[in-house]
């Protein structure tokens, strides 16, 4: 007899790799029901016996799991996804999934397909019974106009969707342009998915960072090893994927992303022609940013230094946790040249962001 999700969870608690949390524990039976249905259907065609003898069993509702950052949503998704014994499953970050859909629609339009979304939804449904989407967040009008039809097509074709989000469905695309046309999607979420709030008093991601060193100097092999250990702890050793964010018709890339944690070098973000809107988008999409190899700043790299200041401002205002390796201490990063005097505020913010009680806003 294979262990249930509850038994797997309790074994990890007993082994010391997880901390018991009643809110997390309460979500597991619903996920177990989805797991059992998926495993029962593994290997069967979606149309039952091609519809000749009986109607195929209706899939269970999916799950929309939302709650504050660091409460264990992605951990529960990992546990569930890893335990489901079927090859017809896929887990992907919501932003990355939508980028694939946009690209596919662009290619379909070049072939003059009447409904560019339909063949994409059909292709996704043909390959998976379980679609696990992490960190669902809708801030882009294009995504808002597509996602309702897409979810409707997928669930109608028997795909079970499990997703995590920091927001309840009613707050998705809040105050967005033409939001009235987005409201039917919220109703669809409640119809096709069980909406559960993960009400936990503990921010586990923040708990793991409390009292930990988060600013490393000088940047080098020792700092890189320490940061790699933090990455593995925060993401469970997940394989990072690029995070592409739409900003004013462009795509801004954070090279590594997993479990709400972004990872980039100074040069990835500050040597490119990015501005405040780009850094605000990054700050809105990640809850922790690992920024590596910040160099000594001066008039010789003035433009890069200005972008670094703007990035830190965006992270500071959004209460994003910063893990950083740099050539020098904050007060000595920029000591000469135009802008060095103004950099004092950035140095002060870098110091404040190292504090053990620096929180992550829900």
């Amino acid at each position: 007899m294979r262990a249930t999700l509850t038994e797997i969870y309790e074994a990890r608690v007993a082994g010391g790799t997880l901390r018991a949390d009643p809110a997390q524990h309460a979500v597991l039976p619903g996920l177990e029901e989805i797991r059992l249905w998926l495993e029962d259907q593994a290997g069967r065609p979606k149309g039952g016996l091609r519809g000749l003898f009986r109607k195929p069993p209706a899939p269970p509702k999916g799950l929309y799991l939302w709650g504050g950052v660091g409460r264990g949503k992605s951990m529960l998704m990992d546990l569930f996804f890893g335990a489901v014994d079927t090859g017809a499953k896929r887990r992907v970050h919501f932003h990355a999934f939508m980028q694939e859909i946009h690209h596919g629609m662009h290619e379909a339009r070049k072939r003059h397909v009447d409904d560019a979304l339909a063949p994409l939804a059909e292709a996704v449904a043909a390959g998976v019974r379980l679609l696990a989407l992490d960190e669902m967040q809708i801030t882009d009008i294009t995504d808002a106009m597509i996602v309702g039809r897409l979810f409707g097509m997928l669930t109608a074709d028997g795909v079970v969707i499990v997703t995590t989000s920091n927001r309840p469905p009613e707050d998705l695309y809040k105050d967005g342009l033409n939001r009235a046309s987005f409201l039917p999607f919220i109703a669809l979420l409640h119809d096709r998915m069980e909406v559960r709030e993960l009400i936990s008093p503990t921010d586990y991601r923040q708990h793991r960072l409390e009292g930990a060193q988060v600013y490393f100097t000088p940047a080098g092999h020792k700092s890189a090893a320490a940061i790699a250990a933090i990455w593995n702890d925060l993401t469970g050793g997940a394989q990072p994927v690029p995070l592409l964010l739409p900003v004013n018709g462009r795509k801004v890339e954070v090279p590594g992303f997993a479990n709400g944690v972004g990872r980039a070098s100074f040069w990835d973000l500050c040597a490119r022609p990015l501005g405040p809107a780009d850094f605000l988008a990054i700050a809105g999409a990640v809850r922790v940013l690992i920024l590596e190899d910040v160099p000594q700043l001066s008039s010789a790299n003035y433009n890069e230094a200005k972008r670094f200041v703007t990035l830190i401002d965006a992270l500071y205002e959004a209460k994003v946790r910063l893990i950083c390796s740099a050539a020098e201490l904050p007060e000595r990063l920029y000591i000469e040249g135009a802008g060095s005097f103004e950099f004092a505020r950035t140095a002060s913010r870098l110091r404040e962001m190292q504090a053990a009680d620096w929180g992550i806003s829900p």
Side-chain angles (χ1 to χ4, degrees):
M1 180 74 69
R2 295 179 64 228
T4 66
L5 292 176
T6 298
E7 290 168 342
I8 294 170
Y9 180 91
E10 290 175 348
R12 293 186 183 182
V13 170
T17 58
L18 283 179
R19 181 177 171 184
D21 186 308
Q24 295 173 0
H25 199 277
V27 174
L28 296 171
L31 286 171
E32 181 70 15
E33 289 184 18
I34 297 174
R35 174 196 181 192
L36 291 175
W37 186 89
L38 289 165
E39 291 180 349
D40 181 64
Q41 296 301 303
R44 299 185 186 182
K46 283 187 178 175
L49 299 177
R50 299 297 181 189
L52 294 175
F53 302 106
R54 64 181 178 86
K55 184 178 180 180
K61 284 189 173 185
L63 177 68
Y64 182 103
L65 183 63
W66 72 276
V69 297
R71 264 60 186 182
K73 300 184 299 295
S74 294
M75 179 277 295
L76 290 171
M77 177 86 88
D78 278 335
L79 189 150
F80 162 71
F81 187 82
V84 176
D85 187 14
T86 177
K89 62 180 181 178
R90 186 185 179 200
R91 178 178 175 177
V92 60
H93 188 270
F94 179 76
H95 281 300
F97 179 67
M98 292 307 297
Q99 289 301 319
E100 292 177 14
I101 296 299
H102 288 305
H103 176 73
M105 291 180 68
H106 177 71
E107 294 299 313
R109 290 188 187 106
K110 290 199 296 187
R111 299 191 303 271
H112 305 291
V113 175
D114 289 336
D115 184 350
L117 185 59
L120 294 174
E122 185 177 345
V124 172
V128 300
R129 290 183 185 272
L130 169 64
L131 179 62
L133 298 172
D134 209 10
E135 301 277 350
M136 185 173 184
Q137 179 175 315
I138 300 174
T139 57
D140 179 71
I141 187 170
T142 310
D143 285 354
M145 295 302 101
I146 291 172
V147 72
R149 287 191 63 220
L150 177 60
F151 272 43
M153 292 175 179
L154 293 176
T155 53
D157 207 0
V159 176
V160 178
I161 300 174
V162 175
T163 186
T164 67
S165 180
N166 293 337
R167 301 166 179 263
E170 290 73 19
D171 284 356
L172 292 173
Y173 197 54
K174 193 173 184 179
D175 303 321
L177 188 65
N178 296 328
R179 189 172 188 270
S181 59
F182 181 75
L183 297 180
F185 173 62
I186 296 175
L188 181 142
L189 285 177
H190 283 281
D191 180 58
R192 307 284 174 89
M193 304 176 78
E194 189 74 28
V195 177
R196 291 286 300 269
E197 181 182 5
L198 187 59
I199 307 174
S200 173
T202 305
D203 181 341
Y204 292 97
R205 189 180 300 157
Q206 179 72 355
H207 177 74
R208 287 196 294 269
L209 288 173
E210 281 181 0
Q213 184 178 355
V214 295
Y215 189 98
F216 298 86
T217 185
H221 294 302
K222 187 176 180 181
S223 295
I227 285 178
I230 292 174
W231 167 270
N232 287 333
D233 184 40
L234 293 178
T235 67
Q239 188 65 30
V241 297
L243 175 62
L244 299 175
L245 302 170
V247 180
N248 299 329
R250 298 174 293 103
K251 303 299 179 187
V252 177
E253 180 179 350
V254 178
F257 183 84
N259 194 22
V261 183
R263 189 172 185 179
S265 74
F266 172 90
W267 306 103
D268 290 325
L269 301 184
C270 300
R272 295 178 178 174
L274 303 181
D278 304 301
F279 295 135
L280 286 171
I282 292 171
V286 306
R287 303 317 308 153
V288 179
L289 179 67
I290 296 175
L291 187 68
E292 299 181 83
D293 300 324
V294 179
Q296 186 75 60
L297 303 174
S298 69
S299 55
N301 50 20
Y302 178 69
N303 289 330
E304 290 85 351
K306 282 182 62 177
R307 294 187 192 109
F308 179 69
V309 168
T310 305
L311 171 61
I312 297 304
D313 285 345
L315 299 175
Y316 181 89
E317 296 298 335
K319 288 287 186 182
V320 172
R321 201 68 151 105
L322 176 66
I323 316 295
C324 185
S325 66
E328 265 291 359
L329 296 172
E331 295 81 8
R332 296 186 56 79
L333 262 181
Y334 197 159
I335 57 176
E336 65 85 16
S340 58
F341 178 80
E342 291 80 1
F343 190 80
R345 186 187 69 153
T346 301
S348 175
R349 289 189 162 187
L350 286 170
R351 281 291 181 188
E352 186 178 349
M353 294 165 81
Q354 295 179 46
D357 60 352
W358 177 262
I360 303 175
S361 311

